Amino acid sequence: MDEHLAELFQLASVEEDVTDEIIASIYTRLRRLAHGLLAHEAPGHSLQTTDLVHEFYLRFADDQTKWQNCGHLFGSAARSMRQILVNRAIRRKRLKRGGGDRGLDIDLDRLAASQSDDLIVDLDLALKRFAEEAPRKAEIVDLRWFGGLSIEEIAVALSLSTATVKRDLRFARSWLYRDICNANK
C-alpha cells in the first residue's frame, strides 16, 4: 500500500477520527472487492456494488475498531460484506421455504461468489465451524475468497510465508468441502 495509507494507520493508533479518511483512501479497492463478491450473484439481484461498500461503511464507521494495517481492514471488509450477502441469502431463502433436496455442485475456488442461496448459507455455517477449529486458516479463507487478496498479500498481512498460505488454503478447501457435503446428507 502507499505511504499515505501507512501514515493514516499510524495516525489511527493515536487519533480517533481518521476512519473516514482511511475509507476514502481505499474506496476504489473496496468497490473492486464488492464487485467481485456480487459478480456471480443471481441475475436480477437488487444490491449494487456501491450499496455493498456503503453498507460496510455504515457498519464500521461508528465502530471503535482500530485497524492495524490494510490486511486487517480488508479482512474486516470481506467478513462484513460476506455477512451482508449471507443475511440477504437467508432472507431470500426464507421466502422460498423448501424446494426439496438439491444436488451439491461445488467449485470451491468460486464458492464465495455462488449463485445458490442455500450454498452461501451452507458455506457461512461451515466457515463458522472451521473458524472454531482453525482460526488462522479461516482468516486466510476470508481474505482470499471474500477479500480478493492475492496469496502474497495475505502472506504479508498475516506475516506468513506464501507456502504456508497455499497449504492452509488447500487444507481449508478440503475441510469445507467435506463439511458442506456431510451437512447436506
Side-chain angles (χ1 to χ4, degrees):
M1 294 289 150
D2 64 22
E3 287 181 31
H4 176 67
L5 197 51
E7 290 172 9
L8 286 175
F9 280 111
Q10 287 178 342
L11 190 60
S13 65
V14 292
E15 283 192 31
E16 293 288 322
D17 219 7
V18 293
T19 301
D20 290 343
E21 194 171 346
I22 290 174
I23 298 291
S25 296
I26 60 164
Y27 186 77
T28 302
R29 181 110 188 242
L30 288 172
R31 282 184 52 81
R32 276 194 307 245
L33 170 65
H35 183 73
L37 289 170
L38 292 171
H40 300 286
E41 280 287 301
H45 67 86
S46 61
L47 192 63
Q48 299 298 313
T49 301
T50 304
D51 298 332
L52 191 52
V53 172
H54 291 183
E55 183 71 26
F56 162 73
Y57 176 77
L58 290 173
R59 287 184 179 201
F60 284 92
D62 293 328
D63 191 0
Q64 297 303 313
T65 301
K66 298 291 185 196
W67 294 307
Q68 291 96 22
N69 55 42
C70 288
H72 185 215
L73 172 61
F74 284 113
S76 295
R79 282 186 294 279
S80 177
M81 289 181 192
R82 181 187 91 201
Q83 194 57 51
I84 292 165
L85 294 176
V86 167
N87 291 345
R88 289 176 58 84
I90 289 170
R91 272 187 253 125
R92 284 193 309 262
K93 184 178 171 184
R94 194 177 307 138
L95 293 174
K96 293 179 186 177
R97 299 272 181 179
D101 292 337
R102 61 178 173 80
L104 184 63
D105 183 19
I106 190 168
D107 177 359
L108 286 169
D109 288 328
R110 297 177 62 136
L111 190 57
S114 172
Q115 291 183 2
S116 167
D117 291 339
D118 290 335
L119 194 53
I120 291 171
V121 173
D122 290 347
L123 173 62
D124 183 58
L125 294 172
L127 273 172
K128 287 177 182 172
R129 288 187 293 270
F130 187 54
E132 291 173 6
E133 282 192 33
R136 184 192 75 206
K137 291 177 176 119
E139 183 176 11
I140 290 171
V141 169
D142 274 338
L143 291 172
R144 178 68 172 168
W145 291 346
F146 298 103
L149 271 62
S150 70
I151 302 286
E152 293 77 19
E153 289 173 321
I154 295 168
V156 169
L158 300 179
S159 301
L160 300 170
S161 70
T162 56
T164 298
V165 172
K166 289 177 185 177
R167 188 173 43 252
D168 285 356
L169 282 171
R170 279 193 307 270
F171 176 82
R173 184 178 295 119
S174 297
W175 193 100
L176 291 168
Y177 182 80
R178 187 180 67 245
D179 187 76
I180 291 171
C181 287
N182 289 338
N184 287 313
K185 286 186 177 180

